[in-house]
Amino acid sequence: MILRSPLIHPRGPPNGSSICLECFYKLLHPPTSGTRQRRLRTFSTTAAGTSNVAAAPPRRGLFSRREYFLANRFFERSGGRIGSDSLKRQLLLTTSPPARTQAKQAEDGGRAAIEPAVDRLPPSEEPPHRRKRCLQRESLNLVAPSTGSIYNTPDSVIPPDASSHLSTLSAALPSKSLRRVLTTYLSLSKPRLSFLIVLTTTTAYSLYPVPALLLPSTTASPSLSTLTLLFLTTGTALTCASANALNMLLEPAHDAKMSRTRNRPLVRKLISPRSAMVFAAVTGLVGLGALYYGVNPTTAFLGGFNIFLYAGIYTPLKRISVLNTWVGALVGGIPPLMGWTAAAGQSATGIGGWKELLEGEGSVGGWLLAALLFAWQFPHFNALSWTIREEYKNAGYRMLAWINPHMNARVAVRYSVLIFPICIGLWWVGVTDQGFLVTSSVINAWLVREAWRFWRKQGGGGTARGLFWASVWHLPVVMVLAMVHKKGLWEGVWNSVVNGEGDEMWESGGEVEEEEEEEEEEEEEEEEERDERITGVV
């Protein structure tokens, strides 16, 4: 018994734009010479408007025929992806000239030229790997909004910043929930950038060479105050949040024109400009207060100057001159100097003024760390700006990436090479030991290699993305290596473990305490004898 009507095989010329899977299967298995004529006669399509002629019933059982299970609906639900390469090759040989042209377009990448227009499965019913692939395609934004040019490819795309991710998370939360409010305000602070700045500040604080009079072996307390470090990190994070919020507040219209920034909270109207202004003012005042009263006035002045430089100079300069990149690099070089002055203020021998902290004998290390951050900005930002140079151009930002791409690549190489002598200088002035020369040279060589490839290929072939991610990893690795190779750190550990100088120090300290107790007892006995004599005379 036949459970369904046999398939309809209309006669007519084959059309590659709509072909049933039965004929597709026949094309995948070319017939032999004896059966070629018979199979060619049964070739059919499902195009509308052709004369329908009923085909002969199948010779074998209905459920044993592959065509029953591989019917047209299965082929349509798969989106025509099964065996598409073989189908295109067969159509080039067996179809008419118009269909051959369509197949050639599919061979060159125009896949939709021969695929039938079918209804795809809902996203919830798609397999996980296909849903992930569709999301990746949608996030690439391959076509420029105004020019229509393709400027982002999978090899060069840079992921959105943390503010965009937090804005997306905030938009999905209930409108009046506390979590949404906190997430929105956190997105205003650019948390990843703020964390990186705090990292460089605390690294400089920990790298400050402690004077011999303040070593733990000669004092009863740690050499550098933990409370000062707490004020330093808190104040730096709050001033960064203030500067970043002011930056977003000044250019929401331009952020909306770029894929990396069009999802920020002010662009999506998740927060009002007034609330953003209040947030920037409160975080700025509280942060500067923490730096002034908890650290020292010099560090507070550097923090306030950085807010002004970033929001007042760098932000408007981006639409005026390419010098904005150098001003932005200067903004990134100030936080290490803040950490250095915070540590230097605790060991200042004078009044602790700005001249002593910034121009004193031990201030060279802080300026070298600031120079390291200044030089690092160029390979990092030049690679980032190259990948979205068309967006910068459409938004009206004056960047080297689109104004002078060759100079953009040369600048990235020059400042990558400059990091070598800066690291050598940290060893020369006694901030790090000799091991830092070896370990930092390895990571610096990696950065220079990626910058050279970026210059040689002018950002093509994925070199821009390679330099960007190399710079992302380079800075924290160099900072950690500098702390690991701090001058005198491993010498003290080695002496205390191998030579036992640490135990002797504690033993000698115990002996000193015993001698002091004995002297106090002797003094008390002498006082008692003196009192007895005075009493006897009376």
Side-chain angles (χ1 to χ4, degrees):
M1 180 179 65
I2 299 178
L3 298 180
R4 74 171 197 177
S5 60
L7 297 176
I8 304 300
H9 299 275
R11 301 285 184 179
N15 185 4
S17 62
S18 58
I19 182 171
C20 69
L21 190 59
E22 180 182 0
C23 299
F24 168 68
Y25 176 79
K26 294 177 181 179
L27 290 176
L28 289 180
H29 298 78
T32 59
S33 59
T35 60
R36 180 176 179 84
Q37 297 297 329
R38 180 177 57 84
R39 293 204 177 186
L40 287 178
R41 286 196 300 270
T42 59
F43 184 89
S44 65
T45 64
T46 58
T50 58
S51 59
N52 297 334
V53 179
R59 297 181 179 179
R60 294 179 292 176
L62 181 64
F63 293 99
S64 63
R65 290 182 58 85
R66 187 174 303 180
E67 291 81 3
Y68 180 85
F69 296 97
L70 301 181
N72 292 341
R73 293 305 303 166
F74 176 81
F75 180 67
E76 292 173 357
R77 287 195 299 269
S78 66
R81 289 186 294 270
I82 302 178
S84 59
D85 295 337
S86 300
L87 174 61
K88 288 181 288 185
R89 287 194 297 268
Q90 292 291 339
L91 289 175
L92 285 173
L93 297 176
T94 60
T95 58
S96 58
R100 189 179 296 113
T101 303
Q102 295 176 354
K104 181 59 178 176
Q105 294 176 356
E107 195 73 29
D108 296 336
R111 187 170 189 161
I114 64 169
E115 290 181 352
V118 296
D119 296 333
R120 301 183 61 87
L121 289 175
S124 59
E125 299 181 12
E126 288 281 353
H129 68 282
R130 290 178 183 166
R131 290 199 303 267
K132 182 178 179 181
R133 189 179 303 170
C134 292
L135 292 175
Q136 289 176 349
R137 290 196 190 104
E138 293 174 358
S139 64
L140 290 181
N141 298 320
L142 295 179
V143 181
S146 61
T147 61
S149 61
I150 297 177
Y151 58 90
N152 278 348
T153 63
D155 293 334
S156 62
V157 67
I158 299 297
D161 55 7
S163 297
S164 298
H165 288 295
L166 290 173
S167 298
T168 303
L169 178 61
S170 176
L173 296 173
S175 58
K176 296 184 179 180
S177 64
L178 178 61
R179 185 180 177 187
R180 174 168 179 165
V181 174
L182 296 177
T183 304
T184 303
Y185 281 116
L186 181 61
S187 64
L188 279 175
S189 65
K190 298 182 183 178
R192 290 179 186 172
L193 178 60
S194 299
F195 174 77
L196 186 62
I197 293 174
V198 172
L199 174 64
T200 60
T201 306
T202 55
T203 300
Y205 182 85
S206 63
L207 286 176
Y208 183 81
V210 181
L213 292 177
L214 294 179
L215 289 174
S217 59
T218 58
T219 60
S221 61
S223 58
L224 293 178
S225 172
T226 305
L227 184 61
T228 303
L229 179 62
L230 178 61
F231 277 108
L232 176 65
T233 54
T234 304
T236 304
L238 291 176
T239 53
C240 290
S242 176
N244 292 326
L246 290 174
N247 172 262
M248 293 188 191
L249 189 63
L250 293 174
E251 48 185 15
H254 307 300
D255 286 343
K257 301 175 184 178
M258 303 183 62
S259 60
R260 293 188 70 252
T261 57
R262 64 188 175 196
N263 204 31
R264 286 178 175 177
L266 284 169
V267 179
R268 299 190 61 177
K269 301 186 183 305
L270 298 176
I271 187 174
S272 64
R274 181 179 179 181
S275 299
M277 187 64 191
V278 172
F279 173 79
V282 171
T283 53
L285 292 176
V286 175
L288 292 177
L291 293 176
Y292 186 87
Y293 293 103
V295 186
N296 56 62
T298 303
T299 306
F301 170 78
L302 291 175
F305 178 70
N306 221 20
I307 295 177
F308 167 75
L309 197 62
Y310 185 71
I313 304 298
Y314 168 73
T315 299
L317 193 62
K318 290 193 296 183
R319 302 180 59 83
I320 299 174
S321 172
V322 295
L323 294 177
N324 68 83
T325 305
W326 278 261
V327 176
L330 184 61
V331 172
I334 291 179
L337 202 58
M338 295 171 58
W340 193 268
T341 57
Q346 300 181 56
S347 59
T349 57
I351 61 175
W354 67 271
K355 285 189 176 182
E356 183 179 1
L357 300 183
L358 295 176
E359 298 179 1
E361 184 178 353
S363 62
V364 181
W367 289 105
L368 285 173
L369 290 173
L372 175 63
L373 267 293
F374 178 84
W376 174 84
Q377 300 284 330
F378 292 94
H380 175 74
F381 181 75
N382 289 15
L384 169 64
S385 61
W386 190 93
T387 59
I388 53 177
R389 60 192 183 279
E390 292 294 336
E391 294 190 15
Y392 275 123
K393 184 177 180 179
N394 296 330
Y397 291 124
R398 307 285 296 177
M399 299 297 173
L400 275 177
W402 68 268
I403 293 178
N404 193 340
H406 296 281
M407 184 178 179
N408 181 73
R410 289 197 305 268
V411 169
V413 175
R414 290 171 185 171
Y415 284 95
S416 298
V417 175
L418 184 61
I419 296 178
F420 273 100
I422 293 175
C423 292
I424 296 174
L426 290 174
W427 161 76
W428 182 263
V429 300
V431 177
T432 60
D433 56 23
Q434 295 180 355
F436 182 69
L437 295 178
V438 179
T439 55
S440 65
S441 296
V442 175
I443 190 69
N444 292 339
W446 176 40
L447 182 66
V448 172
R449 173 181 175 272
E450 295 297 332
W452 179 80
R453 294 179 65 246
F454 175 69
W455 168 76
R456 183 180 179 184
K457 296 186 178 181
Q458 294 297 313
T463 56
R465 187 180 65 169
L467 178 59
F468 172 79
W469 287 112
S471 64
V472 168
W473 285 101
H474 173 271
L475 183 61
V477 171
V478 169
M479 294 286 105
V480 171
L481 289 176
M483 290 188 291
V484 169
H485 292 285
K486 183 179 179 181
K487 182 72 173 180
L489 176 64
W490 292 105
E491 294 178 2
V493 174
W494 178 263
N495 293 332
S496 62
V497 173
V498 177
N499 300 330
E501 293 184 1
D503 297 336
E504 293 177 359
M505 181 184 68
W506 290 109
E507 292 175 0
S508 61
E511 294 176 357
V512 171
E513 292 180 356
E514 292 178 359
E515 292 177 358
E516 292 178 353
E517 291 178 358
E518 292 177 359
E519 292 178 357
E520 291 178 357
E521 292 177 357
E522 292 177 357
E523 291 178 357
E524 291 178 357
E525 292 177 358
E526 292 177 357
E527 290 179 358
E528 291 177 357
E529 292 178 358
R530 190 181 304 109
D531 293 340
E532 290 177 357
R533 291 175 185 175
I534 294 173
T535 304
V537 172
V538 175

